[in-house]
Amino acid sequence: MNALSLVLQKLALTLGAISLAFASQPAEILIRPVLTEQVKINKADWPILDGYLIPPDLYNAGGCESSGGKGSVPRQFDKKGNLIRGPDGHDVGAFQIRETVHGERAKKLGMNIYELQGNIAFALTLYNDNKMRDWKMSERCWK
């Protein structure tokens, strides 16, 4: 077991917010504690997407923006395997990350927004920084 695996396992056990399935994944996946101190919520009610615990509003926003409605599962790719993009082509993936605004930062943080895990990780980063401000345009759908 490598050092990264041990760190991820310890973090998963401590936070209860990271699936142990990540312990065997490549090192480029950036795992960071999200909202463990800022928000006191019963996280047992939070949905899980690809091993990530997602705040309910953020999960609903992803469903609205990438799958067409509140309560839908956020999707990175369509049924043909194509990356889901917004109407103007600049919003990417499950959480419709605006690549022209956030692409460079995501890349510097080691998060590939074109893959599901990177898209989720960066969405959680934005949520941690700004709460739901970055998904304000679709608020009517996810609120």
Side-chain angles (χ1 to χ4, degrees), residues 10-142:
K10 183 176 180 183
L11 189 58
L13 293 172
T14 302
L15 298 177
I18 299 170
S19 169
L20 290 177
F22 287 116
S24 63
Q25 295 297 321
E28 76 256 13
I29 299 170
L30 179 64
I31 305 293
R32 62 185 253 210
V34 177
L35 304 172
T36 55
E37 294 179 26
Q38 297 96 332
V39 177
K40 299 202 185 300
I41 287 183
N42 179 3
K43 292 187 208 80
D45 296 336
W46 287 19
I48 296 174
L49 181 62
D50 201 44
Y52 285 84
L53 202 58
I54 310 290
D57 281 348
L58 182 58
Y59 186 89
N60 286 332
C64 286
E65 295 199 3
S66 67
S67 297
K70 183 176 181 177
S72 298
V73 175
R75 294 181 307 150
Q76 187 76 5
F77 303 101
D78 65 18
K79 291 177 183 175
K80 294 181 180 178
N82 300 310
L83 179 67
I84 292 178
R85 290 187 170 268
D88 69 2
H90 297 293
D91 300 319
V92 177
F95 292 94
Q96 293 293 279
I97 306 297
R98 188 92 172 152
E99 64 187 344
T100 55
V101 174
H102 302 294
E104 284 301 313
R105 180 176 177 214
K107 190 174 183 179
K108 285 179 185 174
L109 292 172
M111 299 175 188
N112 181 354
I113 62 173
Y114 305 99
E115 295 296 330
L116 181 58
Q117 290 178 340
N119 198 275
I120 294 168
F122 195 73
L124 289 170
T125 298
L126 289 175
Y127 185 85
N128 195 41
D129 294 347
N130 308 316
K131 302 299 177 248
M132 292 302 295
R133 185 181 76 199
D134 295 286
W135 293 274
K136 189 81 172 155
M137 294 298 292
S138 63
E139 184 176 29
R140 278 190 184 192
C141 176
W142 55 261

